[in-house]
């Protein structure tokens, strides 16, 4: 039997310090391992995905020590890595798998990468194809579309690449390979995706030029170990932003939230829906923007979400769909076909699970349409082993008239191991 989420319609009150950003935590380890010298990380997210990244680099001989949210990485640079005796296991993490493919392609080691059942079905050609154009050597199922993939590190050449998808993982894999390639690489984005790699390259001392959607990076640059402050993950904060907005009589304050402009689409959507919120992006000591968000429950109205907003909130769409079930009128989510290749097909998963609770929601080819407001009732839900579907179900259960049973909550540790602990700390039933 799964976990019974019987929250009897509480109101949510209090303050939560949002744990570290998953994307920035992964990159802090990767950049620390590529760079020469010591890197210290503060606010690291100790989640399953980020620990998979640490495990991969430990197998490459990089010295990494973890003490809660603090991590120290000592490296003599990419040239000093050892050939791993074991297969590099990337778990459930698309970011680990795709960025590692880019990094390993230009290294001087041979290695094999494999992920869990979900990763083994997720498309890798979006990175292996451009990396092969740079000269990378991969062997894997269906022409290196799926893991396991063997990588023979080799000398790479720069590329001029027009991205066919809006994906920060693809962009980052190419940029990380470009760092060790001969010549200047140019990446042209379709839509601007999260820019943590560009920001962190600069933070580690590389020169990179970003002009609108065109990024240029010269090969042969060395990274130098430094101190990284990881902001809280706005994708994790999103669950409590939605909870605060839809659970009657709630008032939440979320501190330490990353406010990088390429990630704040959820704030734009809440504002467009009429949510009561405040944002304070006070000074901070991170190379990324961060601040505090206050949210209160209020009446909401439907909105349209598409175009260049999609990459700025791609991971928040499951919980935005839940939010839309409580908004007056129609919410249309379009241009979001990328949802089909996430940890699970998130269009099908969101629509199936919210329908079980009585939502008026229809799947479309590139998103979904939700008509609200609809009172939700309980039901037996599945997370499909996808952390964000699991958390969406848990937040939904706060407003259902009867309990929700969720088959798997363990998957939530992929990005938010303290999710239930934090939820319990603001629940006032
Ligand atoms: C991520 C990029 C996004 C996002 C994922 C993390 C990253 O994936 O969904 O959770 O850290 O670069 P895509 O690049 O596939 O859009």
């Amino acid at each position: 039997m799964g976990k019974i989420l019987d929250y009897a319609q509480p109101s949510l009150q209090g303050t939560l310090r949002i744990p570290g950003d998953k994307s920035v935590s992964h990159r802090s380890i990767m950049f620390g391992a590529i760079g020469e010298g010591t890197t210290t990380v503060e606010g690291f997210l100790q989640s399953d995905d980020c620990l998979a990244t640490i495990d991969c680099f430990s197998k490459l001989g990089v010295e990494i020590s973890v003490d809660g949210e603090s991590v120290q990485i000592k490296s003599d640079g990419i040239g000093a890595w050892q050939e791993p005796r074991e297969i590099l296991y990337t778990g459930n993490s698309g970011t680990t798998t795709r960025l590692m493919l880019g990094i390993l392609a230009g290294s001087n080691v041979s290695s094999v990468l494999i992920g869990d059942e979900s990763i083994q079905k997720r498309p890798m050609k979006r990175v292996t194809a451009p990396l092969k154009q740079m000269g990378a050597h991969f062997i894997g199922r269906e022409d290196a579309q799926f893991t396991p993939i063997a990588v023979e590190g080799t000398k790479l050449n720069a590329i001029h690449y027009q991205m066919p998808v809006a994906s920060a993982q693809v962009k980052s894999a190419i940029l990380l390979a470009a760092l060790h390639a001969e010549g200047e690489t140019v990446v042209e984005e379709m839509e601007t995706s999260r820019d943590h790699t560009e920001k962190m390259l600069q933070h580690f001392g590389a020169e990179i030029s970003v002009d609108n959607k065109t990024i240029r990076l010269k090969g042969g640059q060395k990274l130098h170990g430094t101190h990284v402050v990881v902001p809280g993950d706005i994708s994790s904060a999103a669950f409590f932003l939605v909870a605060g907005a839809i659970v009657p009589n709630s008032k939440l304050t979320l501190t330490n939230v990353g406010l990088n402009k390429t990630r704040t689409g959820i704030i734009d959507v809440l504002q467009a829906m009429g949510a009561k919120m405040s944002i304070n992006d006070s000074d901070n000591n991170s190379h990324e923007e961060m601040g505090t968000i206050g949210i209160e429950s209020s009446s909401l109205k439907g909105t349209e979400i598409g175009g260049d907003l999609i990459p700025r909130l791609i991971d928040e769409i499951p919980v935005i769909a839940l939010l839309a079930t409580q908004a007056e009128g129609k919410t249309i989510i379009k241009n979001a076909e990328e949802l089909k290749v996430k940890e699970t097909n998130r269009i099908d998963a969101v629509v199936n699970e919210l329908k079980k609770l009585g939502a008026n929601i229809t799947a479309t080819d590139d998103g979904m349409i939700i008509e609200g407001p609809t009172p939700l009732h309980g039901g037996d839900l599945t997370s499909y082993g996808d952390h964000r579907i699991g958390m969406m179900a848990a937040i939904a259960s706060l407003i259902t008239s009867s309990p929700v049973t969720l088959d798997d909550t363990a998957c939530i540790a992929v990005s938010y191991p303290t999710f239930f602990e934090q939820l319990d700390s603001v629940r006032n039933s």
Side-chain angles (χ1 to χ4, degrees):
M1 202 176 77
K3 185 175 169 90
I4 299 171
L5 306 167
D6 184 3
Y7 290 137
Q9 310 201 342
S11 74
L12 304 175
Q13 308 285 336
T15 300
L16 294 175
R17 185 182 177 273
I18 299 301
D21 187 278
K22 179 160 76 71
S23 294
V24 178
S25 294
H26 280 302
R27 287 163 173 81
S28 68
I29 303 301
M30 294 172 176
F31 283 64
I34 296 169
E36 286 180 17
T38 302
T39 292
T40 45
V41 186
E42 188 181 319
F44 179 77
L45 174 70
Q46 244 195 315
S47 74
D48 289 355
D49 266 17
C50 300
L51 292 174
T53 294
I54 290 188
D55 187 53
C56 290
F57 284 102
S58 301
K59 286 180 177 148
L60 286 157
V62 179
E63 210 184 306
I64 306 175
S65 56
V66 184
D67 178 11
E69 290 186 351
S70 301
V71 182
Q72 190 184 63
I73 306 137
K74 281 188 186 164
S75 177
D76 290 327
I78 189 166
W81 295 355
Q82 296 159 14
E83 291 207 303
R85 285 161 181 258
E86 287 171 72
I87 288 173
L88 304 179
Y89 181 64
T90 59
N92 190 247
S93 175
T95 305
T96 311
T97 313
R98 297 201 175 108
L99 271 57
M100 293 290 303
L101 287 168
I103 297 169
L104 290 165
S107 73
N108 51 22
V109 302
S110 291
S111 54
V112 180
L113 265 83
I114 192 168
D116 71 2
E117 222 179 291
S118 155
I119 279 293
Q120 288 170 37
K121 291 185 207 134
R122 295 182 67 187
M124 295 299 148
K125 226 182 233 176
R126 49 178 57 203
V127 295
T128 55
L131 292 170
K132 275 187 183 177
Q133 286 177 37
M134 297 173 82
H137 295 167
F138 297 118
I139 299 173
R141 285 184 295 136
E142 295 186 30
D143 196 18
Q145 168 72 316
F146 299 111
T147 66
I149 294 177
V151 190
E152 187 189 27
T154 187
K155 240 174 105 49
L156 303 177
N157 295 308
I159 190 181
H160 189 134
Y161 195 64
Q162 200 125 21
M163 304 243 314
V165 281
S167 161
Q169 291 177 357
V170 175
K171 170 177 66 177
S172 301
I174 297 170
L175 291 176
L176 288 165
L179 203 54
H180 304 106
E182 176 97 26
E184 183 182 69
T185 290
V186 183
V187 178
E188 287 183 60
E189 289 204 85
M190 238 175 90
E191 302 284 6
T192 303
S193 62
R194 64 189 67 191
D195 64 357
H196 304 301
T197 296
E198 297 89 309
K199 286 205 157 72
M200 208 178 276
L201 276 168
Q202 273 168 339
H203 190 59
F204 275 75
E207 254 180 63
I208 177 167
S209 120
V210 182
D211 181 11
N212 194 16
K213 291 178 188 152
T214 306
I215 305 150
R216 292 170 197 276
L217 181 71
K218 286 201 178 83
Q221 300 191 57
K222 275 196 177 156
L223 302 185
H224 302 284
T226 186
H227 184 63
V228 179
V229 177
V230 180
D233 199 327
I234 193 167
S235 297
S236 297
F239 294 98
F240 289 102
L241 289 173
V242 168
I246 64 175
V247 177
N249 306 314
S250 293
K251 188 172 179 184
L252 291 175
T253 304
L254 310 179
T255 66
N256 192 49
V257 184
L259 294 173
N260 177 314
K261 300 274 181 303
T262 61
R263 298 284 300 281
T264 49
I266 177 73
I267 294 177
D268 296 12
V269 166
L270 280 161
Q271 280 170 340
M273 285 183 152
K276 261 196 196 168
M277 62 194 303
S278 63
I279 299 155
N280 176 358
D281 54 354
S282 52
D283 280 348
N284 66 76
N285 56 348
S286 172
H287 70 290
E288 292 265 355
E289 290 163 274
M290 55 200 276
T292 296
I293 309 181
I295 183 106
E296 281 179 57
S297 49
S298 64
S299 59
L300 302 163
K301 56 179 192 292
T303 187
E304 206 171 301
I305 303 167
D308 58 9
L309 188 51
I310 294 296
R312 295 179 55 234
L313 47 65
I314 188 74
D315 291 341
E316 287 66 81
I317 292 177
V319 81
I320 287 173
L322 168 66
L323 174 72
T325 67
Q326 303 309 301
E328 178 87 41
K330 202 179 264 190
T331 293
I332 301 172
I333 302 175
K334 58 181 188 185
N335 313 125
E337 44 285 269
E338 273 295 300
L339 291 174
K340 295 179 184 168
V341 290
K342 293 296 176 189
E343 285 81 337
T344 188
N345 178 333
R346 286 188 178 156
I347 295 181
D348 290 352
V350 167
V351 171
N352 290 344
E353 299 317 288
L354 286 177
K355 260 193 185 156
K356 287 185 195 164
L357 303 182
N360 184 349
I361 180 166
T362 316
T364 61
D365 270 355
D366 66 348
M368 54 197 90
I369 299 172
I370 305 117
E371 241 348 300
T374 346
L376 301 182
H377 52 70
D380 290 341
L381 300 192
T382 171
S383 62
Y384 302 83
D386 181 332
H387 53 133
R388 299 201 198 279
I389 303 296
M391 287 186 277
M392 183 272 284
I395 298 300
S397 76
L398 297 169
I399 56 162
T400 52
S401 54
S402 48
V404 165
T405 306
L406 184 58
D407 67 338
D408 164 34
T409 51
C411 59
I412 291 171
V414 152
S415 66
Y416 206 161
T418 53
F419 171 75
F420 282 111
E421 207 177 293
Q422 290 212 314
L423 177 55
D424 285 342
S425 76
V426 291
R427 214 152 44 80
N428 232 342
S429 37

